Amino acid sequence: MAKALFRLQKFLRRTQFLLFFLTAAYLMAGSLLLLQRTRLVIQQGSRGTSANQALPVPDGLAGVGIADPGTLQKPRPGPRLQEPALGQQHSPRWLVSRNSELRQLRRRWFHRLISEQEPMQTAGSKAMKRAAEHRGTYVGCFSDDSRERTLKGAVFYDLRKMTVSHCQEACAERAYTYAGLAYGAECYCGNKLPATASKPEECNSECKGEKGSVCGGVNRLSVYSVEEPRAGARRRRNVIYRGCFRAPENLTDTFPASLIQPNLTVEMCSEFCSKKEFPLAVIRGRECHCGYPTGRFSLRDGADGLLCSGMHNASGTAAGKYCRVYQTPVQDTRCTDRKFLTSKSKVFVALSSFPGAGNTWARHLIEHATGYYTGSYYFDGALYNKGFKGEKDHWRSRRTICVKTHESGKTEIEMFDSAILLIRNPYKSLMAEFNRKYAGHLGYATDRNWKSKEWPDFVNSYASWWASHVLDWLKYGKRLLIVHYEDLKQSLIPKLREMVEFLNMTVTEDRLLCVENNRDGNFKRSGAKQKDFEPFTQEMKDLINRYILTVDEALRGRNFTGLPREYVPR
């Protein structure tokens, strides 16, 4: 009996040890898997999702009559957290993958939230220690005010990868003397050293892209003096000629800074105004004036350039009534301050558009005109990284002035109280979205992309979505403001003022002029694009033109202005 009990105890001890070993191995494997997943680098994804295939245009659309939106099928964005229907055999491959890309974006957002909750491993005292590792010289920690910036030059954001060196190089390339960092991700440039110093420990925000480095704090700037850019980097000292304008009656009252210099040159005046941190250099004879566009000098009514000839004459001559205006490398920062709404908005406003219709540009204009962030139904890391902080805010928070969306279903539309519906020429929209799909917000698709099978599939699927997007909002939208992208581009201030009033906001004339001075933002495509490039076949044009006629008739039927004539190719 004793022998049997001994064997039982021995077996139980072995079993207990085995269970302990298996449990420990399971936990270690799970921890390693979680660590590996959190370190994944998720590639940039798409702005929206699309699941349903596009059907051919019904014969009834060949006429000009209004078609029922239900007859126009589109790759409509599906529910935000649903998986795409993978059984669709006729959808283009990349259309089916858009839901997967959006899930990856949200996964990255989740990991980013976790990483931001980690405790700070650095204090303000470390800034002096690490200053030697950077090209510039650390000056100190200074107070800053969002309403009245300490450094009033250019402003840059990098909400995920900001480093001290990145800020210094950006300011050096634009010929600034000082670079200041705040909130761990914001970079400010200027030529005047801040006056009010703060305690070193108050600059305690870790740089988003560099562990162990300090990038200012809340209303605090870590300021560095800027050295010459590295070899091969080109300083952006170039100035842009804005035109010839009639000079105000009293230039001294209109412009805060002035200089009289014999043999005055554009370079001399621009350098003087840049050091004074003004975006405009105005030359009249031997006089150099610096300032901003204002109601007294708005730069809207240009004069014949010949009237500015002979500017070396005395200011009392006929030539002295006109002046040449140049844009300096200094950014107009009177409208760059933005914040979330102090209280939840009572009106839930959408900024709706088809992809590629200029939604990001419209958000840039609205944010700078109102001073409040816009939100988004999606999360785009590239936009958030460049300063669109509303991307990370929940789209239903009502802390933003309006919410970007490409959705067009009945349910998605009726949850908004009102909407600004932005419409762009479908030919331009389709090309812009195709470029974004294959080359991001700032690039261009390659020749190979345009000549692949993806382009015809894209047009067939998205052309009908362009039409049904407008038709759905006309049918289900409660209160709409229709804005044509082309009109906004042509008459920026009047159209922007109309949008701001629709949002029930008031804005000063100087702020609108500042927006006009910074109209492009950070997401304007630049670089060489193919000249005389025509990616649309005649069959594609016939398809798109029928949709254009249908949308035009629907707009007029609702007493809105019809589509611009340039939409249909002649």
Side-chain angles (χ1 to χ4, degrees):
M1 185 67 178
K3 191 173 183 179
L5 287 174
F6 175 78
R7 288 179 178 177
L8 179 60
Q9 288 177 348
K10 188 176 181 180
F11 172 77
L12 290 175
R13 280 196 295 269
R14 288 180 178 176
T15 303
Q16 196 174 27
F17 176 80
L18 182 61
L19 288 173
F20 173 80
F21 176 80
L22 291 175
T23 302
Y26 176 81
L27 292 175
M28 288 177 64
S31 300
L32 289 173
L33 180 60
L34 179 61
L35 180 62
Q36 182 182 15
R37 291 185 64 182
T38 56
R39 289 183 178 177
L40 285 176
V41 179
I42 307 299
Q43 292 184 348
Q44 169 65 33
S46 173
R47 284 185 270 187
T49 62
S50 54
N52 300 331
Q53 72 181 66
L55 300 179
V57 180
D59 295 337
L61 286 184
V64 182
I66 303 176
D68 183 359
T71 64
L72 291 174
Q73 304 223 5
K74 56 187 175 298
R76 177 177 296 169
R80 291 170 61 81
L81 297 179
Q82 272 192 351
E83 304 225 348
L86 299 177
Q88 299 172 7
Q89 299 178 357
H90 304 290
S91 295
R93 289 171 297 168
W94 65 268
L95 283 177
V96 177
S97 71
R98 287 168 69 96
N99 274 338
S100 174
E101 292 174 350
L102 194 60
R103 288 199 307 275
Q104 289 177 343
L105 279 173
R106 293 196 179 94
R107 192 179 306 149
R108 182 179 66 184
W109 174 75
F110 173 74
H111 292 321
R112 184 65 189 154
L113 282 180
I114 293 178
S115 65
E116 287 183 347
Q117 295 173 3
E118 296 177 358
M120 289 289 296
Q121 301 177 359
T122 156
S125 59
K126 291 189 178 181
M128 295 294 293
K129 188 181 297 183
R130 297 190 58 89
E133 299 180 17
H134 306 293
R135 293 182 57 85
T137 303
Y138 180 71
V139 178
C141 181
F142 296 84
S143 62
D144 189 47
D145 186 353
S146 60
R147 292 171 296 181
E148 184 64 29
R149 286 295 174 193
T150 302
L151 297 178
K152 300 180 180 180
V155 181
F156 305 95
Y157 300 94
D158 201 330
L159 302 181
R160 289 193 302 117
K161 299 179 181 179
M162 179 61 75
T163 66
V164 175
S165 298
H166 174 50
C167 179
Q168 289 177 348
E169 290 174 3
C171 294
E173 289 175 1
R174 289 160 177 82
Y176 286 103
T177 305
Y178 298 103
L181 298 105
Y183 298 97
E186 300 178 3
C187 174
Y188 299 90
C189 308
N191 292 319
K192 296 180 182 178
L193 190 65
T196 308
S198 300
K199 297 179 181 179
E201 59 268 21
E202 293 180 2
C203 287
N204 54 13
S205 295
E206 186 179 54
C207 299
K208 296 294 185 181
E210 187 177 21
K211 289 186 176 181
S213 288
V214 174
C215 286
V218 178
N219 293 326
R220 294 294 182 270
L221 282 175
S222 296
V223 179
Y224 294 81
S225 63
V226 174
E227 295 183 359
E228 289 291 326
R230 62 181 183 277
R234 180 171 58 89
R235 292 183 73 110
R236 303 181 184 179
R237 292 185 181 274
N238 58 302
V239 296
I240 301 171
Y241 178 59
R242 295 291 298 271
C244 178
F245 298 87
R246 188 175 184 89
E249 291 185 4
N250 193 327
L251 271 72
T252 305
D253 292 343
T254 304
F255 301 111
S258 301
L259 169 72
I260 298 178
Q261 179 77 34
N263 301 319
L264 182 69
T265 64
V266 175
E267 291 74 17
M268 293 167 60
C269 185
S270 174
E271 187 77 15
F272 173 74
C273 293
S274 294
K275 288 182 177 180
K276 294 292 184 180
E277 297 181 341
F278 291 108
L280 294 185
V282 181
I283 299 177
R284 186 182 68 166
R286 297 177 300 169
E287 301 174 5
C288 171
H289 302 274
C290 313
Y292 302 98
T294 63
R296 299 178 62 181
F297 195 68
S298 64
L299 301 184
R300 290 178 188 163
D301 300 321
D304 189 336
L306 294 176
L307 295 173
C308 285
S309 60
M311 293 301 294
H312 59 279
N313 294 337
S315 60
T317 65
K321 296 180 181 179
Y322 297 89
C323 56
R324 290 176 292 168
V325 180
Y326 295 86
Q327 186 89 32
T328 72
V330 175
Q331 182 181 2
D332 190 342
T333 57
R334 294 175 298 169
C335 56
T336 54
D337 60 301
R338 290 165 291 168
K339 60 184 178 181
F340 289 102
L341 294 173
T342 53
S343 59
K344 290 187 177 182
S345 174
K346 297 179 180 178
V347 181
F348 198 28
V349 186
L351 177 62
S352 178
S353 74
F354 175 79
N359 201 303
T360 300
W361 180 52
R363 291 177 66 187
H364 162 78
L365 297 175
I366 291 172
E367 288 192 2
H368 285 75
T370 64
Y372 293 104
Y373 288 113
T374 59
S376 177
Y377 187 78
Y378 320 99
F379 171 66
D380 190 325
L383 295 181
Y384 171 76
N385 192 34
K386 293 300 182 181
F388 286 91
K389 292 185 178 180
E391 284 288 323
K392 205 169 184 179
D393 206 55
H394 192 276
W395 63 281
R396 280 187 178 274
S397 70
R398 293 181 180 254
R399 297 200 308 154
T400 53
I401 194 69
C402 60
V403 176
K404 161 192 172 178
T405 179
H406 299 311
E407 310 294 311
S408 55
K410 182 177 183 294
T411 303
E412 290 83 356
I413 293 174
E414 290 182 343
M415 63 187 177
F416 290 99
D417 301 317
S418 58
I420 298 174
L421 180 58
L422 186 63
I423 305 174
R424 188 183 184 184
N425 188 326
Y427 289 96
K428 301 293 185 181
S429 292
L430 290 170
M431 292 180 68
E433 176 62 8
F434 194 74
N435 279 323
R436 189 206 60 80
K437 173 63 189 177
Y438 285 100
H441 288 282
L442 302 177
Y444 292 93
T446 63
D447 235 9
R448 184 177 179 180
N449 297 136
W450 292 106
K451 294 177 181 178
S452 69
K453 294 181 180 179
E454 302 292 347
W455 172 239
D457 288 341
F458 179 91
V459 173
N460 289 332
S461 298
Y462 270 43
S464 61
W465 182 13
W466 175 87
S468 60
H469 179 272
V470 178
L471 297 177
D472 279 357
W473 279 92
L474 289 176
K475 183 176 181 179
Y476 302 117
K478 300 173 185 176
R479 176 173 170 260
L480 295 178
L481 173 66
I482 306 295
V483 177
H484 297 291
Y485 172 89
E486 292 75 16
D487 293 341
L488 182 61
K489 191 174 181 181
Q490 183 68 28
S491 305
L492 179 64
I493 296 298
K495 286 296 177 183
L496 183 56
R497 184 181 284 110
E498 186 180 356
M499 294 164 68
V500 170
E501 290 175 355
F502 183 82
L503 294 170
N504 198 28
M505 300 290 294
T506 56
V507 62
T508 64
E509 183 70 14
D510 283 355
R511 192 171 183 105
L512 287 175
L513 289 169
C514 171
V515 177
E516 187 176 40
N517 221 26
N518 296 316
R519 62 186 300 158
D520 289 340
N522 295 322
F523 285 93
K524 179 180 174 61
R525 284 191 172 87
S526 59
K529 58 181 178 181
Q530 296 165 305
K531 295 181 179 179
D532 303 322
F533 178 58
E534 180 53 78
F536 297 96
T537 64
Q538 189 57 48
E539 183 181 1
M540 293 178 185
K541 291 181 180 180
D542 294 339
L543 176 74
I544 296 171
N545 289 347
R546 290 198 292 270
Y547 287 133
I548 289 174
L549 294 174
T550 300
V551 171
D552 180 74
E553 186 70 15
L555 285 169
R556 296 178 187 277
R558 287 284 306 273
N559 295 322
F560 290 111
T561 304
L563 298 176
R565 290 177 58 84
E566 66 186 67
Y567 279 28
V568 180
R570 296 294 186 261

